[in-house]
Amino acid sequence: MKLLQFLFRVGISLFIAFIASFSSAVIFFNYSGYENLSDRIFLVTVPTLAIGFLLFDAFPRLWAWLTQRQITVLIIFGILAAFAAVEFILPHAISRVYYLGMGAVAVVLFGFMLPTVPAVERLRSTHSMWHYFLGFLLGLFPAYASISFLAGVFTDRFGVITFTLASTLAGSVIGYYLVRRASQSLCDGFLRNPVNLILTLSLPIFLVGMTYGAMQYPAMFSRSFVQMPVEWFGMYFASGAVGGAWGLLALEQIEARGYDRWFEQTKLFSFIKDNLPGIYAGSLFFFINLIVARALNHPTYSINSLIFEADAGPWMSILGYPEGHDVNRAVHPLVLITLRPLTSFVRLFLADKWFFAPMIVVAAMNGLSVLLGWLFVKRATQKDSYAFAFALMLGSTAAHLLFGSLTETYVFGMISLILFVFLVQADEKRFSVIVPAGLLVFGVTVTNIAQSMILLFFKKTFSFWRLVYYGVIVLTISVALTALVSVLYPGNQTFFFVPADLAFEGRFSKPIYEGPMERIVERVGVVGRTIFLYGVVAPTPMESIARKNTAPITEFETFNYRSHEMAWYNGAAYVPLALWLVLLAGAFFYFFKNLRSSSHTPLMLGLLACIAFNYLLHMNYGTELFLYSTFWTYLLIFFVALALVDLTGRRWFEIVLAAFTLMLMINNGWFILVILRGLDPYLSAA
């Protein structure tokens, strides 16, 4: 009996070792490249004997250990390992030997997973493995999306394997807690409300829809932007399977050592727990804007001044190009020491693919604006459903969807303003906080400092002379910092306090009093439509043929100052437009109704005054006014949210907000696709 056991042990060990050795020799070790039979024998036999000895030596302990394990867990891990092995080998299979390789890879992967089996057995009685499995699937997504999107950053197998292992391990654990939280929420929390559930599901659907729509214009958005190279998928999935298995061990250790309980006592956990819907919304809009950004921003083509006169080409270089680029716009005095360092930090992780950095940062800023929108409305109302609807509404507006994707300064100006409003809402009075926030507002676009002063004035944050002092402090520090920028980047930045440098902006300015009366009336209508309509509900953009670098190309406008034509709405777009006008009218009705009683009146007055400031400014400045829509769209959304506070908690109003938000996604998503369709022929021929 002992002899039979010995022979069985030897046979099994050598059989497994031979399969692994022979298949590896053929697939990886250039077996056919050795002409001498003796070389081939040594290539296969030596590893076989080595692996066989190790297996023979470990066999008794391994067998005893396996017999104590739960067969269900072993089968599940075995199936996962087998499936991963098929994905790893099958795409490359050119002979039957590769099928042996699948078995060897499956055994290796199964071996990597085995140390986690005891942890799984212990967790099964206290944790839902279905929750963990769904969390594992969520954990696979960031790795796949990153490797696919950042084409060229991952250049070798080691990078793909390491990144996938780490991200899937961490993502599976985080995903488990998120799925568990979502399951609880479906029973007795936020997601129990059908309206919230529909809006929550709408975001991934919107993401998939925008991705699919962008892929219809391959010159703008290649399928390879979101599809991992075939030769990498097997490595990715195999690494992800191992990372997911080890995530179970990590989960057990986190809870056994009390790290989860320690984290639950932190302010960060409280913030995440209280604001999970807003974080979710901001994260999904980050991905949505990143897809649009990848389609609109091309580092090899200058699409400068084509999309509503946006200077996307130069700003891509200013923010992301390693050698830098001239700004020479006095109205953006501090971008080289605020925005560029941020993109430079992101660029550190992107190898030589510098052009990804501005896209990622711009999309992240818009995602952050959605989160801040949630925080702003929730602070005002303490109603999660209401805040969630307005956060999604803000992210879905035409201004945020386009300029939260297009590489320009406008998304940065917008996020700096939203942050400032958020601080004003909190009655922030510390100069150590409010002055840096004001410097950021001024440093991105100098005219926006007026909005910060207006908000502080109406909220009565400071006395009059304290407000003047604040303005002087911000202005003087900005002068000093602008001088510093010019020292650090000589010749790249002009001065906002030098008249000759500011004169450049005169080409975009024409005092309204210099025109005839009919032009003044026309301008009133253009500014009004742009501020109150276009930034929220996108019109059908006007398309004209321009010549850039001698090549004809479609140019997009909402107003043509030569022909005096204005963009308007067509077909189904009238439905979200009508709903928006109803919401806006209702907001003004409730604003005047509660003018004396509402605690939000000072802030709403500040928001309206900022809108009035933008109206007066752009009566005299700018040709394509839609370009500046990020500077007032958030004001409108915040004003409507504050004015309609009386309707919070009413189911019919929640349905109206949800319906409008969904229609806004459809209308403004189509608006983006119209732009891609217009630019696609140019880039196809370039």
Side-chain angles (χ1 to χ4, degrees), residues 112-161:
F112 281 132
M113 296 178 186
L114 279 181
T116 69
V117 171
V120 180
E121 294 171 348
R122 291 188 291 268
L123 288 173
R124 287 183 69 187
S125 61
T126 56
H127 296 68
S128 169
M129 290 297 102
W130 280 111
H131 287 171
Y132 185 83
F133 179 71
L134 292 175
F136 163 67
L137 295 180
L138 286 178
L140 284 173
F141 175 75
Y144 187 93
S146 299
I147 296 170
S148 303
F149 188 85
L150 301 175
V153 176
F154 296 92
T155 56
D156 58 17
R157 292 187 178 94
F158 182 77
V160 173
I161 292 171

Side-chain angles (χ1 to χ4, degrees), residues 258-401:
Y259 295 140
D260 58 329
R261 295 186 294 276
W262 168 81
F263 183 62
E264 288 174 0
Q265 305 302 315
T266 64
K267 291 183 179 180
L268 177 60
F269 176 82
S270 298
F271 176 82
I272 294 173
K273 181 182 177 182
D274 294 340
N275 299 290
L276 199 54
I279 295 171
Y280 168 80
S283 300
L284 265 291
F285 270 107
F286 165 70
F287 288 115
I288 292 165
N289 284 109
L290 200 56
I291 291 295
V292 178
R294 191 67 175 95
L296 288 178
N297 299 284
H298 283 252
T300 54
Y301 303 107
S302 174
I303 52 176
N304 186 32
S305 300
L306 296 175
I307 304 177
F308 310 105
E309 296 186 1
D311 295 332
W315 280 105
M316 176 76 83
S317 298
I318 292 168
L319 296 177
Y321 191 54
E323 282 73 28
H325 192 280
D326 293 345
V327 178
N328 287 334
R329 291 290 299 275
V331 292
H332 308 299
L334 304 181
V335 294
L336 291 177
I337 58 171
T338 54
L339 310 186
R340 182 171 166 80
L342 178 60
T343 53
S344 296
F345 175 76
V346 175
R347 194 179 67 239
L348 293 175
F349 305 95
L350 299 175
D352 61 340
K353 306 301 179 182
W354 62 268
F355 49 86
F356 285 127
M359 298 183 207
I360 293 171
V361 172
V362 165
M365 290 301 102
N366 197 56
L368 181 59
S369 76
V370 172
L371 173 57
L372 285 174
W374 152 274
L375 293 171
F376 178 89
V377 180
K378 185 180 178 181
R379 178 190 282 166
T381 64
Q382 300 303 313
K383 299 291 184 180
D384 286 3
S385 299
Y386 191 75
F388 189 62
F390 276 97
L392 266 62
M393 190 188 303
L394 181 68
S396 302
T397 59
H400 283 245
L401 201 57

Side-chain angles (χ1 to χ4, degrees), residues 2 12 24 62 162 201-202 244 271 378 428 437 521 540 573 657 681:
K2 288 185 178 181
I12 289 293
S24 298
L62 180 61
T162 304
L201 295 176
S202 72
F271 176 82
K378 185 180 178 181
E428 180 60 64
V521 174
T540 301
L657 289 178

